Amino acid sequence: MDKHQYDPHTMSNDDVLTTRLDSLVNFFREKGVNWARRNSLWPLPFATACCGIELMATGASRYDVARFGAEVMRFSPRQSDLLICAGRVAIKMMPVLQRIYLQMAEPKWVISMGACASTGGVFDTYAVVQGVDQFLPVDIYVPGCPPRPETLIEGIMAIQRIVDRDGITPSSRRGKGLRLVAEPMYQIDTPPSSKTGAA
Amino acid sequence: MATPEQILAAVNTRFPTLRLELKPLLTRGDVPGDQMYIRVKPADLLDVLRFLRDDGRTRFEQLIDLTCVDYLNFPGASDRYGVIYSLLSLTHNHRIWIKCFVNDPRPTLPTATAIWPGAEWMERELYDMFGIVFEGHPDLRRILTWDGFEAHPLRKDYPLRGKGERENYPVLNRDDA
């Protein structure tokens, strides 16, 4: 009898069950979560210029980004995990965009769509950010002025490949949570019982 | 509907000492356009504007636009900033332009918000873009550029690409957020 085979006398049923569940959970963590993430990207359309029109065309029936699971445009950063920055961003708008990015739930990805969002485009002036990647971590740059919907879809598919390949571990596990901390407005006195308990 | 000459005549009968004149707003080649402006000194500006709004012959109820031209290095120009009031009378269906020149170092005009409340944001825009101070304005803040901005970008001596104002925000990276 092969020693690697299942031996009911040395291994309890609980162990077997635990091992199988663990492998299942691990498989789901490594493959399944990313599979679910990549097929349900919920974009936040930060559309400030003509790129936004192409973004709408991408979402509409002809190009139908629903085929890639990214049709649920969410205007709340809390509900989205893909920031599509479509169009030029004025410098006065940059803190708003940064706040939106900070408010998005982990894991999150950023597409810089079009020439203006990526480099400032023709708007090389005092008022326009010369590429949002100066202030934000950008994953994918979609070229074009504006990009055709096929190009944007290719960008979304590139995000899907990124998700598939490495994904992003949640920030809590990296030890770096969201730094938006609500300070208590009043002093909290520690109850005496917990003080003694801690000591 | 009154012609620009009739409007000017109405103003001149009320303010005979000012000796105001009509000039074409623009000339194309040698041909003057039919849009005429009246040049007014800053000290007389509010009186003329209020008269143009209130008088029955002119009745300019609406301030269509309030804008400015920087005449820096302009051939033949003696003043620097030309502030232009575009007026429209809905009653009479006629228009006139009022032009008022101010100069450095502190270009100052009285505010027109008491005459047309809609002038408030336009004057804020002129303050933002040209640095023209409107005295008596209820809330003279910048309107288009951000709060920390210090220059007046539509002045001719301001470089198109700015003076490095764009580098003041924190840079987010993946570990921050």
Side-chain angles (χ1 to χ4, degrees):
Chain A
M1 193 174 180
D2 191 359
K3 62 177 178 179
H4 292 298
Q5 239 175 343
Y6 171 57
D7 183 3
H9 301 289
T10 58
M11 193 183 274
S12 74
N13 279 334
D14 287 350
D15 284 341
V16 174
L17 194 62
T18 316
T19 314
R20 286 183 180 168
L21 258 182
D22 269 357
S23 65
L24 193 64
V25 166
N26 278 338
F27 174 80
F28 187 68
R29 266 192 193 146
E30 287 162 15
K31 309 281 184 198
V33 169
N34 285 341
W35 171 83
R37 279 173 182 166
R38 109 172 109 82
N39 288 312
S40 65
L41 291 168
W42 286 17
L44 186 141
F46 193 82
T48 47
C50 43
C51 281
I53 306 295
E54 296 298 305
L55 179 56
M56 290 175 230
T58 313
S61 53
R62 184 175 179 94
Y63 294 98
D64 195 15
V65 80
R67 296 175 293 156
F68 306 90
E71 82 282 12
V72 192
M73 300 283 174
R74 287 291 148 165
F75 295 93
S76 162
R78 302 287 188 204
Q79 299 173 347
S80 47
D81 50 9
L82 171 63
L83 176 64
I84 299 181
C85 184
R88 66 196 117 76
V89 178
I91 292 183
K92 199 173 178 178
M93 198 69 179
M94 201 61 222
V96 180
L97 181 58
Q98 282 185 330
R99 176 63 68 89
I100 287 174
Y101 177 77
L102 285 173
Q103 285 175 337
M104 283 168 63
E106 290 263 1
K108 50 192 169 186
W109 297 271
V110 179
I111 286 182
S112 168
M113 178 183 177
C116 299
S118 304
T119 68
V122 297
F123 302 102
D124 189 6
T125 73
Y126 61 92
V128 176
V129 174
Q130 302 297 300
V132 292
D133 57 351
Q134 290 189 1
F135 300 105
L136 284 182
V138 172
D139 292 285
I140 291 294
Y141 301 87
V142 177
C145 183
R148 283 193 58 86
E150 295 95 327
T151 325
L152 179 61
I153 288 175
E154 171 59 31
I156 290 174
M157 289 167 71
I159 290 282
Q160 290 184 336
R161 289 195 287 275
I162 288 178
V163 177
D164 249 357
R165 199 185 59 223
D166 43 28
I168 292 180
T169 47
S171 59
S172 58
R173 224 181 300 158
R174 283 181 283 146
K176 301 197 169 163
L178 208 58
R179 287 186 188 165
L180 296 173
V181 180
E183 296 285 337
M185 308 207 25
Y186 48 86
Q187 196 76 30
I188 302 174
D189 289 334
T190 318
S193 60
S194 72
K195 270 180 190 166
T196 54
Chain B
M1 184 169 179
T3 61
E5 287 77 17
Q6 289 167 325
I7 295 168
L8 179 74
V11 179
N12 268 335
T13 47
R14 170 67 180 78
F15 304 101
T17 54
L18 299 186
R19 301 173 190 279
L20 300 175
E21 292 175 2
L22 277 183
K23 285 176 189 167
L25 202 61
L26 54 92
T27 54
R28 197 157 281 150
D30 291 334
V31 185
D34 52 356
Q35 300 174 336
M36 308 298 274
Y37 77 88
I38 303 172
R39 180 171 174 172
V40 180
K41 290 200 177 77
D44 314 320
L45 179 69
L46 279 195
D47 293 336
V48 173
L49 289 180
R50 183 165 280 126
F51 169 79
L52 285 171
R53 185 196 65 175
D54 292 340
D55 190 77
R57 292 162 289 178
T58 53
R59 194 66 83 197
F60 287 102
E61 299 101 340
Q62 196 171 4
L63 177 66
I64 289 287
D65 198 6
L66 177 51
T67 184
C68 180
V69 181
D70 187 355
Y71 284 101
L72 182 72
N73 300 330
F74 191 82
S78 55
D79 299 288
R80 180 153 182 194
Y81 305 106
V83 181
I84 303 168
Y85 295 76
S86 305
L87 307 182
L88 166 68
S89 167
L90 298 166
T91 310
H92 300 303
N93 189 22
H94 56 210
R95 294 170 191 265
I96 199 78
W97 284 262
I98 305 295
K99 211 162 175 179
C100 197
F101 284 89
V102 284
N103 280 298
D104 281 334
R106 185 178 161 81
T108 308
L109 276 181
T111 177
T113 46
I115 306 174
W116 296 285
E120 181 181 342
W121 280 18
M122 302 186 206
E123 289 178 353
R124 279 179 65 186
E125 186 185 358
L126 286 201
Y127 168 69
D128 191 358
M129 291 288 140
F130 289 94
I132 292 167
V133 179
F134 288 90
E135 285 184 336
H137 191 283
D139 183 23
L140 196 63
R141 287 178 294 134
R142 292 181 173 274
I143 190 169
L144 291 174
T145 57
W146 56 103
D147 287 339
F149 197 68
E150 288 179 352
H152 301 291
L154 281 193
R155 288 184 176 181
K156 293 289 186 202
D157 52 1
Y158 184 79
L160 173 67
R161 292 180 178 175
K163 295 174 177 172
E165 292 92 346
R166 62 185 60 149
E167 286 151 23
N168 296 330
Y169 291 133
V171 179
L172 300 182
N173 57 45
R174 239 174 276 280
D175 290 336
D176 281 340

